[in-house]
Amino acid sequence: MSWLIIASCVILCCSFSSFFRLEKLGALKWDKVVHGNQAWRLITCIWLHAGVIHLLANMLSLIFIGIRLEQQFGFSTLSVPFCSGSVLSSLFIQRSISVAASGALFGLLGLMLSELLTNWTIYTNKATALITLTVIIVINLAMGILPHVDNFAHIGGFLTDFLIGFVLLLRPQFGWVGRKHLPAGARVTSKHKAYQYLFLVIAMVLLIAGFTLGLVMLFRGENGHDHCSWCHYLSCVPTSKWHCGN
């Protein structure tokens, strides 16, 4: 059975809860994570949703994006980045709760982008694919500036999985043939391009440094806004129609 179907069933069972009960069910809440020794909320929050519309929107996104990636790279590969985005959300949203797998879904967009870039040589119409994917990403991130939308989880999930894609989603370069399929004495070319290894090393360094810094700041009780005075605009931009408050 596809992991997408399993995830959908679990999320469905956990989603139809009144908002005030979400905290008890495992929603992401800064003070519970930092002062209540409940780091597990960084993971459990992705199984909760604030309502039916919220659930359906995420399920549709998961179906359209996740199935293609799972078919190409398998369940085990995609299960690693599925829980990303919560750390950045906790650093910047400390007076409210956060739920849903939106950060992980944006992470799938990040995976698609890095997979396209690191395997650039094997694709046709790659410029068109890059432009299309970039437009989709920009539009979805732009929607995150609406009030009551946790765009920090979106951005954190996207950036984390964008880097993870360079590590996990490498494909052999076009025309590569394994040694066992070559005649004796034939020259064996490198399985991957040099730039793929370069991307992999850079991504690994950034991932380790970013997660270490984020977790240290989180469990020291720091507020991300103290280090970035303009970052609140990434999650909510006040207009004449609404205000962002805290």
Side-chain angles (χ1 to χ4, degrees), residues 168-244:
L168 297 182
L169 305 187
L170 275 72
R171 294 175 182 268
Q173 63 173 299
F174 181 77
W176 176 79
V177 179
R179 183 185 299 272
K180 65 180 181 179
H181 299 294
L182 291 175
R187 180 174 175 269
V188 180
T189 59
S190 175
K191 185 176 182 178
H192 298 102
K193 294 279 189 179
Y195 77 86
Q196 291 178 298
Y197 292 117
L198 178 62
F199 283 165
L200 185 151
V201 172
I202 294 175
M204 283 290 293
V205 172
L206 292 177
L207 277 170
I208 295 172
F211 261 114
T212 302
L213 178 62
L215 290 173
V216 169
M217 290 178 62
L218 175 61
F219 290 105
R220 287 178 59 182
E222 297 189 27
N223 189 322
H225 293 292
D226 295 337
H227 303 276
C228 181
S229 60
W230 55 269
C231 282
H232 60 279
Y233 291 117
L234 295 176
S235 189
C236 184
V237 176
T239 68
S240 59
K241 301 294 185 182
W242 65 75
H243 63 88
C244 297

Side-chain angles (χ1 to χ4, degrees), residues 102-116:
S102 302
L105 294 176
F106 273 80
L108 294 179
L109 291 175
L111 285 174
M112 292 179 69
L113 181 59
S114 56
E115 191 273 329
L116 174 63

